[in-house]
Amino acid sequence: MFGMETIQYNLPQSRIPQAWYNILPDLPAPLAPVLHPATHQPIGPDDLASLFPMSLILQEVSAEREIEIPDPVRQIYAQWRPSPLIRARRLEKALDTPARIYYKYEGVSPAGSHKLNTAVAQAYYNQQDGTRRLSTETGAGQWGSALSMACAFFGMECKVYMVRVSYNQKPYRRALMEAFGAAVTPSPSEETAAGRAILAEHPDSNGSLGIAISEAVEVAATDPHTKYALGSVLNHVLLHQTVIGQEAIEQMSLAGDEPDVIIGCTGGGSNFAGLVLPYLGRKIKGRWHARVVAVEPAACPSLTKGRFTYDFGDTGHLTPLVKMHTLGSTFIPPGIHAGGLRYHGMAPLISHVIDLGLAEAVTVQQLDAFSAGIQFARAEGIIPAPEANHAVAEAIAEALRAKAEGKPRTILFNLSGHGHFDMQSYIDYQAGKLQNFEYPEEEIAMALAGLPAVG
Amino acid sequence: MFGMETIQYNLPQSRIPQAWYNILPDLPAPLAPVLHPATHQPIGPDDLASLFPMSLILQEVSAEREIEIPDPVRQIYAQWRPSPLIRARRLEKALDTPARIYYKYEGVSPAGSHKLNTAVAQAYYNQQDGTRRLSTETGAGQWGSALSMACAFFGMECKVYMVRVSYNQKPYRRALMEAFGAAVTPSPSEETAAGRAILAEHPDSNGSLGIAISEAVEVAATDPHTKYALGSVLNHVLLHQTVIGQEAIEQMSLAGDEPDVIIGCTGGGSNFAGLVLPYLGRKIKGRWHARVVAVEPAACPSLTKGRFTYDFGDTGHLTPLVKMHTLGSTFIPPGIHAGGLRYHGMAPLISHVIDLGLAEAVTVQQLDAFSAGIQFARAEGIIPAPEANHAVAEAIAEALRAKAEGKPRTILFNLSGHGHFDMQSYIDYQAGKLQNFEYPEEEIAMALAGLPAVG
C-alpha cells in the first residue's frame, strides 16, 4: 500500500442517503406558481392527477426539507449507489494543472447515467398507485433506458417517444430499451394528434424533446391506465437526483477537500440539480461559499440567451405554464449529438437559482465538448456521454485557468453518464463530420415572439 | 435501513489484493512444457524475448505462489477495483428459486470487462522494458479496448488486429479503440504474410482469433520496437486475473456465504481462471469442496469435444506448441456473436485443471445464451456481453435445477463484461436472425487430423 494514492472515495451501502433533499423550504424567495394553460391561474394538485400519482404531485410542492426515500427504492439504489467519487489524477497530470479535479461518476448505474435515480422512484410510486403503463419521451436515450429498466423491475409497461434524430443516430440505445421490454416510437409520430400536427407542417422533422413530451403527455392524458413520467425539469425529478450531491458532500469530506467550483451540464437541469442543490442548500445558509457553474450547449442556450418568463414545457402546448429560462416552446434546436441537452426550456428550480445569483451559466461548442471528451477518455479511461462532455470541457477549462494563474483550486463535476451508446457521435467527430453551431438568433427570436402573454 | 437487504458486497480500495495468486506451485501435477515449433524441445525464456518483456516471461514460469502487484498497476486498479460482488436478488425472485445467486461484476472497469486487469499489467511491464508499441488481436473487442486504454495510460502505441466478423458487427467497439488512439485493422489483412496466406485461400474469410494472433505475433517478431500482448491463454495473463477470485473469496465471506458451484464462460480461459484459480488453490489443499463449471459455446467446444494434446496457439503456426484442449489450429469457428469465445484452443492451465478433474465443462447454444441474457437484463438491469451470457445461462439452469430438486445452493458466477458494444447481436436476436450451430464435426475432424506430431 505504501505509495498508493486514493482514486475512489467510496461509501458503503449503509451511507445511501435516507432522504432526498428538498431545497424549496430553504430558498430565499419562493418559486413562481405553476399556471393553468387556459385560465393562467395557479393550478392545484388535482389538475395534474391524470398525469402523475398523487404521491409525486405532493412531492412537487412539498415544504418538507427531507423526504424519506422508500426502502424498495433504496434497495434498488443499493445495486450501484453510493456512486463513486473519483479523483482524476491522471487527467490532472496530463493537464499539468495545480487544480485538483474530482468527478462524481453516475455512469456506474446499470442504465449508464444518473437518470435511473428518478426512474426507479417514479416507477415505484406509480406501481404503488396501480399504474399499468408509463409513457415518456427521450432525447439521447438515457432517460428512456432508465425508465424502461425501472418499469421492468416493477412489472409495468413502458412506452417511449424517442426524438427522431436520436432514434436514427442511436439504434443501440433503442435496442437496449427494447431488451428491457419497452415499446419505442420515433417522435414526431402519427400515433398522436400532437405528432400529426408537427408532421403536417414539417414532414421531415428531426423532432425535439418538446415535441416528444407533447406526444407522451397526450397518451397519458387520454388513457386511464397510463401515466406520464418526465426525466427532468420538474421539482420532484430534481429532488430524486439529490442523492448525488448528498453523497458527494460526504465523499469530498472523506477526501479531506472542499470544492471551490462545482460544474454540471444542463439540458432540463436534473443532473446539475442532483449534484448542486445539496451544496446550494449550504450556500444559502452561509456554510459554504463557492462557484456553481451550469454548462449548456451553444446551440441551445436557454440559460444564457433565453428569457426568464412563463412558457409551455412542450411544443404542443399540453403542459401547464411554468416560469423558466426558455428559448420559446416552438424553438427546435439544431441536431447536436448531445440529444439530452436539446430542450427549449430549463427546470424552473434551476432557472430560479440562476436568477437568484446562486449559480452562473456558460456555453460550450459541440467540437470543444467532443475534444474534451476524447482528452478525458485517454486519461481516465471513461468515454463520457456527449451531454457530459460539456461539463468535462468546462472542468478542463477551469483547470487550465488554474494553471495559467498558478493558483490551485478544487474542481468537482458531475460525470452524469457514459457514452457507450453514443459512439456514432465519436465516429463522426473523429471523421471531421461534426460542426459547431452559431447561436440560432432568428429562430429563437421567432419562438420568443410566440410566448404566451401571462400576468 | 430497517428492512434493507444487502445487494453489493463491497471492499475498500485498501483491500485490492497485494499480489496475484500463482497456482503453478500448488498444482498436484506440473504443466506440460511448452515446445519449440521446429525442434519440439522445451523452450527457454530467451526463445520468447522477441515477443514479451523478460518480466512477463518469468511470470509465465514462476514457481512463486504470490507475485506482488506493482504499485502503479494497483493505482490504476483502484479506479474500479475491488469490483462489486452482487447478490442477484431480483433474478432469484424472478426464477422463484431456493438458490442464492451471486455475480462478480467485472463490467465496472472503464474498458467494460475483466480484460483491463491484465492489460494494465502488461502495458506497465512493457513500458518499464522500453517497448514503444504493442500489437495484439481482438475478437469481440473487449481485449482490444482494454489494451488500447492501457497503452493510452502508459503512453505507448497500440496496433490491434480485429477478427473481421467482429470488425463488421461491432463498429462502435472499433470506435472506442480509436478514441483511445489505437490503430485497428480487420483480420485477416494484407499487412502480414500470415494474413495474405489466409486471404489467398479464403478471400472472404470471417477471420478468427487464431488468424489474428498470427498477424499480431508476426508484427512483433519482425519489428524491434513492437512487442506482443495476448488477452488470454498464457499463464501470466491468467495470473493477472486472479485479483477477481481473491476479492470474491473475501466478499463471499462478507456475505456470510460459501459457493457450492462456481461458473465462468471460457474462450481462451482468462475470466474463468480469474474467478476460479484462487478457489481451486483452496480445493487442492482440501479447504474448499465444490463444483467448478466452465461454459463454452456449442459452436466452439474445445473443452468438451477437443483433444488434449500439443497444438499451435495460432492458425499461421508462428507460436510455440502448447498442450491444451484443441479443436485443431486450422479450425475456424462459426461466426457466433460471442466473438471472444471463438478460439480453437484453451489456456493450457485451464486444460490441465479440467484434465485433473478439478473442474468440469458444459456447452451452451447461442439462442439459449441470449435468452438468458435478456432474462438477466430485465431482472438485474445489466445487459451482459454475449460471452458472459454463456455463464448467465448456466447459472440460471443451475438455479432452476435447485428449484426442481427443492434444494437450496449457493451459485457464484463471473459476469465478465457488459454488452453495451454488442447491441447489434441483441437486435439480431430479438429479430429472430440468430441461430444455433450444430457441432461442426467434419471441420473439426479435418483440423484435428492436421495436428502436429509431437513426442
Side-chain angles (χ1 to χ4, degrees), chain A residues 403-425:
Chain A
K403 179 181 179 179
E405 295 164 11
K407 285 188 198 159
R409 70 201 60 174
T410 299
I411 301 166
L412 168 63
F413 74 95
N414 197 359
L415 189 63
S416 51
H418 61 61
H420 298 172
F421 295 92
D422 308 290
M423 293 310 297
Q424 189 60 48
S425 64

Side-chain angles (χ1 to χ4, degrees), chain B residues 366-389:
Chain B
Q366 173 155 272
L367 295 182
D368 296 330
F370 276 96
S371 163
I374 293 278
Q375 189 172 18
F376 184 83
R378 291 189 183 177
E380 296 291 312
I382 299 167
I383 195 127
E387 292 80 9
N389 279 342

Side-chain angles (χ1 to χ4, degrees), chain A residues 154-168:
Chain A
F154 286 102
M156 282 183 289
E157 291 174 56
C158 188
K159 170 78 186 178
V160 182
Y161 290 92
M162 185 171 189
V163 174
R164 189 176 294 273
V165 61
S166 295
Y167 185 92
N168 292 333

